[in-house]
Structures are given as structure tokens and as C-alpha cells.
Amino acid sequence: MSHRKEARVFYQAEKKQFHLSNDKISYIFKVSSDGKLLHLYYGKSLPNRDYSYLIEMHHRPMTTYRQENDLLYSLEHLKQEFPEYGSTDFRHPSISMKQENGSKITNFTYLKHKIVDGKPKLENMPATYVEEDSESKTLIITLKDNLTNVEVELLYTIFTEFPVITRSVRVLNKGTETQIIEQLASLSLDLPDADYDWIQLSGAWARERNIKERSLQQGIQSIESTRGISSHQHNPFIALKRKQANEHQGEVIGASFVYSGNFLIQAEVDTWDVTRLQVGINPFGFEWRLLPNEVFSSPEAVLVYSDQGLNGMSQTFHQLFRTRLVRGEWREKNRPVLINNWEATYFDFNEDKLVSIAEKARDVGVELFVLDDGWFGERNNDHAGLGDWFVNEKRLPKGIGSLAEKIRSIGLKFGLWFEPEMVNKDSQLYKEHPDWLIHTPNRKEHHGRNQFVLNFGVEEVVDYIFEQMCKIIDESKLDYIKWDMNRPLTDVFDHRLDFNQQGEVFHRYVLGVYRLYELLIAKYPHVLFESCSSGGGRFDPGMLYYAPQTWTSDDSDAIERLKIQYGTSMLYPVSSMGAHVSIVPNHQTNRITPIETRGNVAFFGAFGYELDLNKLSENELAIVKEQIKFYKKYRSEIHNGLFYRLRSPFTNDNETSWMVVSKDQKIAIVAHYKILNEVNRSYQRLELKGLNKEMTYRIDGQLYSGAELMHAGMVISDASSGQINEQNPRPETHDFDSRIWILTQEER
Ligand code: DGJ
């Protein structure tokens, strides 16, 4: 019997029960007798039945109750969809809304709902999308607070193809009073127990997205950003993993936030071990004044369910983000092999130097030349020039258009670096518009890398930068833009806004960033954008909606990158991770690694080079040529296939391995990295994943079944599993070694 995949939203009118489901998951809740939304179930797909019995109410002393003469119904003991504080629940709420009299008590209750095909677009904000209505169903529940006449719309989209539910919230002020929204979670999910490990991706500049794991405990565990960007410190993502689950099996819930500013993700475990997971804009530093007839929309939260461990969760995120978050021409196209001049020259370049790098790059097969920081204004170092988006004539006297033409005549595409959100005080822009930088009047403003942040919450500022950028893009017919952002926000204030709107500055800033991206993308749809924030300080799903790739980290050392790329792969697709081969000794770690290993790590990303190829030996150049040939041959499989993490650098301090398998399972690429060499070590097999067990694969001239490679494992022992001598003359192994195997299906 053929089974057509479908996303469904069932509504049982007599039970007032909503049930979103597809063939993989169910999400169920109901309306209580007094209009509250009570959560019933989230997990593997269930039949459409009445699940009201999952609500348990027992009398518990020291409790407050909803109804007089009733000692059962308390929100404190119930799982909910849109909790509020002050109405018998004492956990953190979804909303906090201050009214004109100062009260924050609200009572939002069910008013109506509708179920629509497809997925409504979020206004002015990034979000996952569908191309056909059949790809998803959306349930929109309207709640109303009768006293203030404020309505809240809860949007739930369930996808047909993916075990994914997205959520967002809109607040509509239909009353006559001004409301101050102090907090609005995009997602609040009450899970019936706390038997989970919490996984987060944390770090700092040059060591982003390291995997940290701990058991959930009573109380609150959270990650957040207060920096105005999603941050190097914490990525807007967490996973809740069942204790017995692992990389490839067991239940995992992943939550991600499609937002590039301050966020808060927290799990509050109450004294009965109910886990409340919440995702939203960080209430810290946030307030939004909502006048009558105005609407405030939250960003989108994405909830992924996996019964195949962390890797199952990651593959869902990868496919969703790659195909239904990334947009435009570059979603489908192979990414060009690029060369970036930053680590090759820093600020020390002229046209001749750039052209000589580009020529060498063309000879080895590079496709795109990217001119990084330093081509504009008086940007001779990092103290000046930001904001002046016109060519630095001392350095490039013939202009940017001429350089672009030259690069194109060599046979390469041309890309440029911008840092649109920033200004140096030593710039024309600052002289003309000192008022455009974010600052607090009469107080000293604080710099980061000698630079200040433009107030992108102000339309005029964004429009101006857009115009400046357009001139350069037109003049040089850009193919690619690297959009950098090198400091967090401080001194956050805007004198154009009222006293009770100062909590809006951060969010308005993010909306301004999104607006500039949108303007540029609409006008230049063929330009490939790479986002960047001192490496991966704003590597988030919000950015991916505009820029299909992100510079993963300023740390380009191959060994450091193992952890960074491994952690990043928790939810971001390989195609989104900018990864370059750089010079040795590495500029961040001083480490010397073989060029083969630098390539073998960078292949699992949006691949490129960041060095002066003129400084390489003939032998190294020959290797580079081969690397580029390899990447061009397999980039489609690497970017569009399924990615499997095999050995974790976070649990194995000497080894990492991962692989990709093409969609048709006919090609697989396996990579294994060993940090320090050993001698006389144990024999090694790597159990591969995702192959077709019925298929036969060729590896280095030998044939193997998919079954044996997955169950017995692929033998990866090398010379270090013994001693090299005359009887054992295998290739030497060394520190920072790596190997790549190509598996191709052998037709029988
Ligand atoms: C930080 C980025 O991460 C680097 O790749 C480079 O573009 C520099 N900024 C340039 O200032």
C-alpha cells in the first residue's frame, strides 16, 4: 500500500484537542475548561485519539488554584503552551506585558484558531519557508486577554518531510492602552520529565561552538547572548538528549532560534521534574512598546525531533536549513573555490600583489578571488576607514572597477569584504554623522577594535550604507560579498526613541541588519554572501537566510578546526561552513600541519584558500591543484549528501572522523584525522554509517559490501599499529595525519 507523506493538524472539537502530526512526530495539546492551552504530548507519531487523560491533577498542598472551591486545577502543576506568571504558575512565563497601571498580570485564553496550508511568511524576519502549500500545515491559535484586549497569535507549522515544528508568536494590541512587552518567548514547551542531558555549543573567539554537555537538574540552566549578536560565546541552539541516547540512536530534541541578536534559551526543571524549555529574544535588555493597533512579532524557533540520536537531529537541521532556510540562486549552485587575501597580506597589499596571488590561484583551479579588509577609505590599519565605502586610492589608484576587471580577465570571479555596520572615528562618515553611532548621550562610548557600531535601527543609516555599497557593487560587478561584523554592541541607547522604548534598540538593530541584507539580495540576487563576525560570532540560522555560508572561525588551524567544524555540524550544514587552507606555521596557533591535512579538514565546508600561493613550493602547489580537482569533483556530494559524525574530538582527544554519503548512497567520502602519532597501537576499524547494506563499494581497488563496512567496519590501521622496518615498510605516519577514502558503488 503506498503511503503518501502528509502534514496534518487534527482538531477534535468536543475535546478541544489539537494534534499536529506527520509520519514521524506528533505534537498534541488542548484547551482547558477555562481557555488555557495545556500541553499533552510531543514525540514519535501517534494515532489521532483523545489524549486528555495525560493531564493529571492531584491535590498538592501549598498550591494556588484557578477556581474557588476547587483543589485540583492549578497551572503550577500543568504542562502548558503559553504560560503566564501570576495566575497560579510560578515558573518562567512566555509573556510578560506591563500595562499602563504597572500591572503585569495577564490572562490569555483561547479565542479562535485556524489551520492553513503552507506556512505564512514572517514579516521582516528570517524564517524557514515552504515552496508548495503541501509541504506544511500551519495552526494559528488566537488567545485574548479580555481586560486589555490584547491578542496573541501562536503559530505552529509542521512540515511534511521533516520531523520539525516551527513556532513563533505575534502580539496584537487591539485595545486602547499602550502595552510594554517585557518578555516574549517564541517557544515554550513543557516536557513531562527531566531525564535529559543538555547540550550546548559554546566557546569564544577562535574556538567557537565547542560541544558542552551536562545533566538537566532542578532549577534553571540557560545560555544567552547580551552582545547584540548571537555571539561566539553561545550559539542559539540546544539539544536535550535522553541519557541512553548517543550519536546514532535514541531520542533527542533540538531547538534552534532563527535570530541574530540577543537570545535566551533555558530549561527550567521544576520540583516535579517537569522541564520547561523556552527559546526567545533575551528579556535582558529588552522591552517593546506596543501602541494600540500595533503588532509585535517574535522570531521563529525551530524544534527538531530525532529518534536516531544526535546525528539524526543534525541531518534534519542540515536538510531543513540547506533547502528551506537558505534561499536564492546559491541554494542550488556549487559553491566556488575561493582564495581570500586576508591571511596572505593583511593590510599590506597593492594591486600587483593581489594580481599575482590571483594569477597563481587561477593556475591551480581557484574560481573566485576575494579581496578582504583594507581596500577602502583610509583603511591602512584597523584604526581608520570603516564607514567610507569608496576605494582607497593610495593603495588601488586605478580604482576597484579596474581591479575587478583585471581579476575577471585572469579568469576569476571577484568578491569584496565589507563591514557595513561599523564606523571608525577616523573616517569621513563619522565626521559627517557623529550621531549615527550607537551611544548614550553625555557618556563616553566604548570601542572594540577601535571601532563603533552604527545604529542600524535607524532607517536613514541603513539606506545610506545601502547606497554606498551599491555604488561599489555596480562598479566592480561583484560576484561575492563577505559581510563582517567585528565587535559586540555597548552603550546601547537611541535618543530618537522614547524613554520607554530604549529596550527596543537591540531588536531594531537586528531588524536593520536584516533590512540591509534584504535590500542587497533583492537588487543583486546573483551575489553570493558569506556572513562573518570575527569568524563565527554570528553563525546563526538568521544569517543563513540571507548568506548561505558563514566564515566559521578566525582560527584556520586544521587541528583546532576539527572541534569547531564538528561542533558546528550539530545543526549547520557542511555547505554553510566557510573553511580555508591557510599557511603554516598557522597564524593563530603557530602549528605546522601538513598541507594534505589542512585540505582534508577544509574539504568539509565551503572550501577555499587563505594564503599567498606564490609562497608555496612546486610540490605544495601540485598538491593544491589535486585538492581543488578533488573538491570540484565531490563538492556536490559533500554539500548535499548526508553527513555522519563518527569519532568526536570532544570525547577522543587524538582522533576525529566523519563522512558524507550521497543521497543515492552510491558515493561516500570518509575522513579520519589523527592528531599525534603513536606506535604499536591497537588495530583500528571504523564502523561506517549511512551506506546501503545491499550495495558493493570499491575502496582503493578492493570491494566490500555496505553491510560489512557498517557492521565489521572499515580497516583504518596504519603504520602506527606496529613498527616500521624492512618487513613492514608501510608509509610513515606522523603527527597531524589524516586520510580520506572514497567509496564508490560497484555495479554488479
Ligand atoms: C575578521 C574576519 O573574521 C577575518 O576573516 C577578516 O575578514 C578580518 N576581520 C578583517 O578585518
Side-chain angles (χ1 to χ4, degrees):
M1 201 180 75
S2 85
H3 173 67
R4 205 167 66 83
K5 281 191 183 173
E6 214 187 341
R8 294 165 298 237
V9 180
F10 300 107
Y11 176 59
Q12 291 190 19
E14 61 305 348
K15 303 286 175 201
K16 292 193 180 156
Q17 179 183 281
F18 296 97
H19 181 169
L20 297 92
S21 80
N22 62 23
D23 64 332
K24 299 192 180 80
I25 54 167
S26 280
Y27 190 110
I28 309 171
F29 58 94
K30 69 173 289 172
V31 184
S32 74
S33 54
D34 64 350
K36 294 298 196 190
L37 297 184
L38 303 183
H39 180 83
L40 296 168
Y41 174 80
Y42 172 51
K44 281 190 198 192
S45 192
L46 294 180
N48 186 34
R49 298 187 56 237
D50 172 16
Y51 293 100
S52 309
Y53 70 89
L54 290 173
I55 297 172
E56 289 185 81
M57 293 199 286
H58 295 272
H59 169 65
R60 284 165 168 168
M62 269 307 279
T63 293
T64 57
Y65 297 97
R66 297 285 290 172
Q67 320 288 356
E68 279 179 48
N69 303 317
D70 172 286
L71 294 181
L72 290 178
Y73 181 21
S74 171
L75 291 175
E76 184 179 358
H77 307 148
L78 291 171
K79 293 171 266 303
Q80 296 162 73
E81 289 296 304
F82 191 72
E84 291 150 282
Y85 177 78
S87 52
T88 73
D89 192 5
F90 297 91
R91 293 163 289 180
H92 279 248
S94 273
I95 191 168
S96 171
M97 192 178 85
K98 189 155 91 180
Q99 296 134 61
E100 281 185 2
N101 66 0
S103 162
K104 297 180 187 177
I105 303 294
T106 53
N107 185 30
F108 285 98
T109 55
Y110 173 84
L111 179 67
K112 60 183 179 190
H113 74 269
K114 67 176 175 196
I115 297 164
V116 297
D117 291 335
K119 184 169 190 290
K121 201 170 152 16
L122 273 197
E123 273 163 48
N124 309 324
M125 259 187 296
T128 56
Y129 61 89
V130 295
E131 292 191 328
E132 308 283 340
D133 275 353
S134 59
E135 289 180 27
S136 66
K137 284 241 169 7
T138 299
L139 166 65
I140 305 171
I141 306 240
T142 306
L143 307 174
K144 183 176 179 185
D145 179 50
N146 285 329
L147 188 66
T148 58
N149 272 329
V150 172
E151 290 180 7
V152 160
E153 285 178 357
L154 307 182
L155 286 87
Y156 298 78
T157 296
I158 177 155
F159 283 77
T160 304
E161 283 293 330
F162 304 114
V164 169
I165 286 180
T166 61
R167 291 185 54 179
S168 63
V169 180
R170 299 176 79 225
V171 184
L172 303 82
N173 188 353
K174 297 196 168 172
T176 52
E177 286 191 358
T178 299
Q179 308 294 339
I180 304 289
I181 302 170
E182 296 182 326
Q183 172 170 357
L184 185 66
S186 297
L187 171 152
S188 186
L189 170 66
D190 287 351
L191 298 163
D193 63 77
D195 190 19
Y196 292 100
D197 287 330
W198 157 284
I199 293 174
Q200 66 189 54
L201 301 177
S202 298
W205 173 80
R207 56 175 167 85
E208 298 90 338
R209 290 172 299 287
N210 279 219
I211 297 173
K212 312 265 172 186
E213 194 168 335
R214 63 192 128 120
S215 271
L216 280 190
Q217 300 290 347
Q218 272 177 27
I220 290 178
Q221 26 267 295
S222 69
I223 51 165
E224 65 171 356
S225 169
T226 55
R227 296 166 188 257
I229 48 175
S230 46
S231 86
H232 297 88
Q233 282 66 22
H234 297 296
N235 199 260
F237 156 84
I238 62 99
L240 296 179
K241 178 178 85 63
R242 285 295 188 197
K243 298 216 177 275
Q244 64 280 14
N246 61 27
E247 192 57 65
H248 301 287
Q249 58 199 23
E251 194 177 67
V252 177
I253 293 169
S256 151
F257 196 34
V258 189
Y259 190 58
S260 311
N262 291 345
F263 71 90
L264 174 68
I265 302 184
Q266 72 180 31
E268 179 175 6
V269 179
D270 75 10
T271 98
W272 298 281
D273 295 323
V274 171
T275 300
R276 173 167 292 174
L277 175 65
Q278 293 183 312
V279 178
I281 290 181
N282 198 345
F284 181 89
F286 173 79
E287 265 189 358
W288 195 271
R289 185 187 73 179
L290 199 66
L291 299 176
N293 298 317
E294 284 185 346
V295 178
F296 179 80
S297 298
S298 81
E300 174 169 289
V302 177
L303 204 54
V304 168
Y305 180 83
S306 167
D307 60 2
Q308 283 161 37
L310 287 166
N311 218 96
M313 172 202 72
S314 300
Q315 290 184 354
T316 298
F317 273 121
H318 295 172
Q319 291 175 74
L320 180 77
F321 286 178
R322 207 161 38 72
T323 63
R324 292 294 179 261
L325 178 64
V326 169
R327 299 173 295 164
E329 281 177 28
W330 285 102
R331 188 184 78 181
E332 312 296 344
K333 284 210 247 177
N334 278 337
R335 304 291 165 71
V337 177
L338 68 78
I339 186 147
N340 177 303
N341 75 309
W342 180 243
E343 287 201 14
T345 66
Y346 297 104
F347 292 112
D348 180 20
F349 63 83
N350 57 29
E351 185 164 322
D352 288 348
K353 202 175 204 178
L354 298 176
V355 168
S356 84
I357 295 176
E359 278 170 343
K360 207 47 160 204
R362 184 262 332 267
D363 292 347
V364 292
V366 168
E367 297 160 306
L368 163 69
F369 178 85
V370 179
L371 173 51
D372 210 277
D373 196 352
W375 58 267
F376 51 89
E378 291 292 318
R379 187 77 170 163
N380 300 315
N381 52 49
D382 64 12
H383 284 72
L386 288 173
D388 293 345
W389 300 112
F390 43 83
V391 77
N392 179 334
E393 283 179 349
K394 282 187 210 119
R395 193 170 270 160
L396 299 171
K398 290 181 233 149
I400 199 75
S402 147
L403 174 67
E405 234 168 73
K406 191 101 176 237
I407 299 288
R408 233 170 254 122
S409 73
I410 289 172
L412 297 178
K413 292 177 183 301
F414 184 61
L416 272 184
W417 179 97
F418 288 89
E419 196 175 358
E421 297 151 77
M422 296 293 157
V423 65
N424 287 113
K425 287 197 173 173
D426 188 356
S427 68
Q428 281 191 29
L429 177 69
Y430 180 71
K431 279 183 200 97
E432 284 158 30
H433 301 285
D435 193 35
W436 280 5
L437 62 83
I438 292 182
H439 68 288
T440 303
N442 307 320
R443 291 190 190 276
K444 178 174 152 322
E445 54 266 357
H446 300 91
H447 80 102
R449 206 195 187 196
N450 313 301
Q451 65 195 49
F452 298 85
V453 185
L454 290 172
N455 191 341
F456 263 38
V458 179
E459 232 175 85
E460 189 192 2
V461 177
V462 170
D463 289 344
Y464 174 87
I465 297 293
F466 174 59
E467 275 168 34
Q468 302 307 305
M469 290 179 76
C470 286
K471 283 187 208 151
I472 295 291
I473 300 171
D474 293 338
E475 189 187 336
S476 48
K477 302 190 189 65
L478 286 188
D479 300 295
Y480 162 106
I481 289 177
K482 177 175 173 187
W483 176 326
D484 204 347
M485 198 292 181
N486 285 304
R487 57 154 292 179
L489 277 58
T490 55
D491 312 289
V492 171
F493 186 87
D494 186 351
H495 64 84
R496 301 162 192 85
L497 299 175
D498 254 20
F499 80 98
N500 59 4
Q501 286 187 289
Q502 292 307 323
E504 299 178 15
V505 180
F506 275 119
H507 184 57
R508 285 177 182 274
Y509 177 85
V510 177
L511 295 180
V513 172
Y514 291 155
R515 192 167 82 83
L516 181 56
Y517 258 119
E518 199 64 59
L519 289 170
L520 289 167
I521 285 168
K523 188 158 176 196
Y524 304 104
H526 69 281
V527 171
L528 170 62
F529 282 84
E530 176 152 349
S531 74
C532 174
S533 177
S534 287
R538 202 163 57 181
F539 199 138
D540 61 56
M543 282 293 123
L544 278 189
Y545 183 69
Y546 305 98
Q549 56 194 62
T550 301
W551 179 228
T552 309
S553 175
D554 272 349
D555 193 338
S556 65
D557 173 74
I559 302 307
E560 295 287 295
R561 276 293 186 116
L562 292 174
K563 278 188 175 165
I564 296 170
Q565 292 178 205
Y566 191 99
T568 306
S569 82
M570 271 292 141
L571 73 161
Y572 301 105
V574 170
S575 55
S576 68
M577 295 182 217
H580 302 169
V581 173
S582 61
I583 204 78
V584 290
N586 177 268
H587 289 188
Q588 292 78 41
T589 59
N590 234 352
R591 184 177 286 135
I592 297 176
T593 54
I595 190 146
E596 291 88 344
T597 291
R598 281 175 271 155
N600 289 346
V601 175
F603 286 149
F604 293 85
F607 181 71
Y609 290 82
E610 189 151 336
L611 43 77
D612 185 348
L613 291 165
N614 295 301
K615 297 193 173 145
L616 298 192
S617 66
E618 283 307 313
N619 180 39
E620 284 172 319
L621 279 175
I623 294 171
V624 167
K625 220 170 183 173
E626 283 307 307
Q627 287 178 332
I628 295 176
K629 219 159 98 193
F630 169 86
Y631 183 73
K632 285 180 179 168
K633 183 164 179 195
Y634 293 112
R635 65 183 147 190
S636 171
E637 281 79 18
I638 293 175
H639 285 184
N640 303 316
L642 291 179
F643 182 80
Y644 294 86
R645 291 178 296 267
L646 302 177
R647 284 193 188 164
S648 168
F650 296 99
T651 50
N652 184 322
D653 55 17
N654 206 35
E655 281 174 76
T656 299
S657 53
W658 53 48
M659 66 186 285
V660 286
V661 183
S662 66
K663 273 193 202 137
D664 61 8
Q665 296 175 304
K666 291 184 177 174
I667 294 180
I669 300 156
V670 180
H672 181 255
Y673 310 90
K674 206 172 66 183
I675 299 176
L676 293 184
N677 200 12
E678 292 162 304
V679 62
N680 198 16
R681 72 193 293 246
S682 55
Y683 293 123
Q684 295 288 314
R685 290 185 206 166
L686 194 58
E687 289 175 15
L688 304 187
K689 298 285 174 192
L691 301 175
N692 185 323
K693 62 179 187 329
E694 312 295 340
M695 283 186 187
T696 303
Y697 294 91
R698 179 179 288 276
I699 310 173
D700 295 335
Q702 301 288 322
L703 298 183
Y704 307 87
S705 70
E708 67 194 270
L709 291 169
M710 291 194 290
H711 304 140
M714 180 173 77
V715 172
I716 61 164
S717 309
D718 56 24
S720 66
S721 291
Q723 188 192 17
I724 300 171
N725 57 23
E726 298 83 63
Q727 281 84 49
N728 188 24
R730 282 174 293 171
E732 270 180 50
T733 54
H734 39 75
D735 289 351
F736 315 126
D737 239 348
S738 65
R739 278 167 84 185
I740 287 205
W741 293 264
I742 309 292
L743 283 62
T744 48
Q745 192 220 351
E746 186 78 8
E747 298 291 349
R748 289 229 152 175

